[in-house]
Amino acid sequence: MDVNVTLAAWSNLLVYSAMAVYAIAFLVYAFDLFGRQRTADAAARRTAAEARAGARSRAGSRAQGRAGRASAKSSVHRTSRHEQVAVLDAEDEADADGGQARAGSSKPAEAADADGPSAGAGADGPGAGASVRGASGGIRRLARVGTALTVLALLLHIAAIVTRCLSVMRVPWGNMMEYAMTASAIACIVYLVTVRVKDVRYLGTFVTGAVLLALGLSITVFYTPAAQLVPALQNYWIYIHVPIAILSTALLSVSAALAVFQMLRAWREAKSPCLLRFMDRLPASDDIEKASYRIAAVGFITWTFTLIAGAIWAEVAWGRYWGWDSKEIWTFVVWVVYAAYLHSRATRGWSPTKVAVLNLVGFLCVIFNFTIVNVFFNGLHAYSGLSS
């Protein structure tokens, strides 16, 4: 079947367009993450401190009033040798009258003070919310702009994949270039879906940066002209095995990014270095670790299916399920590392940081399996499409 050169050229043009938009989104997300605007948490803490200072001031005023009334009542005059009659001076009498008036109004005041925290919360609530919104509104606007740009870049990215697919009328994962393009698009989709469930827009800088890098490598180092599949890949298992491998790579990449943020956030919580002040805008390290673990658990399941489907395809293509080919070995190594990661998380004595390190080791094995093994190792899985 002939190659549609026009659609292939459009695919390359759309890749460059997606890269341009991803680059802008990367910069916007970077300003959002590393910007110097006050965070909502800082504004909330300042508002709470002001409320506590006002409460202490009111308590001090009430204590001074009670002390003045007590000193007024202790002023007496001796009128005879054998008895004492408490007679107030004119000035003290005026103070006493004022004290009675204040005493008469003290109960409502104390009742109001008793209701102060709840009433203050209701009164300060909108103001505090306004200050929080005012302090962080600019940052969140940047995050929303970055997300919108990411969606636009993803649409261009998908259009590039579709036109590449239509140019040769086959699935768009027949070589390293197409695999990297598709896997990076799926990773971006995983990120955007996660954003809908949990606010992880702090990942935006690294997700868009990683996708930008993947597309750059696809159009330069991994570039392969549009062509038909090699005979060994012309099998229905290419519709099953490779898409699950791509999904696994996308899930594990997002989990690894979360693991990096988890470690940095834990370091900030423990040692509080000045260079990581922007980490105060992130959730607690435990919350980030839970999100990373859940995504990695799904990625481990899909990678398990990838390993099994690859063995079945190997039996169909070469008449054996396992032949200790370099690609097979490193696919199994990835599986073992992530199995150890999941086991260590459930094992007592492993700190979250050590578990996150295992997550990153597993992802490095994934990258090694895709790049080094495909390019430099000889074997039956030599489908990179790169000229030797």
Side-chain angles (χ1 to χ4, degrees), residues 129-356:
S131 63
V132 168
R133 287 190 295 270
S136 63
I139 298 178
R140 292 299 89 191
R141 280 196 295 271
L142 286 175
R144 287 194 293 269
V145 170
T147 304
L149 289 172
T150 304
V151 172
L152 175 59
L154 177 62
L155 293 177
L156 294 171
H157 191 164
I158 294 174
I161 296 172
V162 170
T163 51
R164 174 85 175 190
C165 177
L166 294 176
S167 69
V168 288
M169 297 303 295
R170 62 168 176 80
V171 292
W173 47 74
N175 48 60
M176 287 185 67
M177 173 190 176
E178 295 170 356
Y179 189 101
M181 288 175 59
T182 307
S184 57
I186 298 299
C188 191
I189 292 173
V190 170
Y191 162 71
L192 292 175
V193 170
T194 307
V195 166
R196 296 288 297 177
V197 178
K198 188 179 182 64
D199 188 4
V200 292
R201 288 178 290 183
Y202 52 85
L203 283 179
T205 304
F206 292 86
V207 171
T208 54
V211 173
L212 183 61
L213 177 62
L215 288 181
L217 291 174
S218 299
I219 207 68
T220 55
V221 179
F222 300 151
Y223 180 74
T224 304
Q228 296 302 318
L229 291 173
V230 297
L233 296 179
Q234 294 177 4
N235 189 286
Y236 64 91
W237 276 101
I238 197 173
Y239 302 100
I240 303 172
H241 171 66
V242 182
I244 299 300
I246 291 174
L247 177 61
S248 303
T249 303
L251 290 169
L252 296 177
S253 63
V254 174
S255 175
L258 284 167
V260 171
F261 274 95
Q262 171 208 334
M263 296 173 66
L264 293 176
R265 181 66 170 131
W267 189 27
R268 171 66 176 171
E269 292 171 351
K271 299 183 178 180
S272 188
C274 296
L275 293 177
L276 297 178
R277 274 183 291 186
F278 70 93
M279 282 291 167
D280 292 338
R281 304 173 186 176
L282 273 61
S285 59
D286 291 340
D287 295 335
I288 301 176
E289 192 275 335
K290 290 177 183 177
S292 175
Y293 164 74
R294 290 168 182 169
I295 296 175
V298 178
F300 175 75
I301 294 172
T302 56
W303 191 267
T304 303
F305 183 82
T306 299
L307 187 62
I308 296 173
I312 297 174
W313 191 2
E315 198 279 331
V316 172
W318 303 311
R320 88 289 187 281
Y321 291 99
W322 193 264
W324 297 105
D325 184 71
S326 57
K327 192 74 171 179
E328 296 170 349
I329 293 173
W330 278 98
T331 301
F332 181 69
V333 167
V334 171
W335 186 89
V336 170
V337 173
Y338 275 103
Y341 161 72
L342 297 177
H343 176 73
S344 64
R345 191 182 184 274
T347 303
R348 182 177 300 177
W350 279 75
S351 66
T353 300
K354 292 181 180 179
V355 175

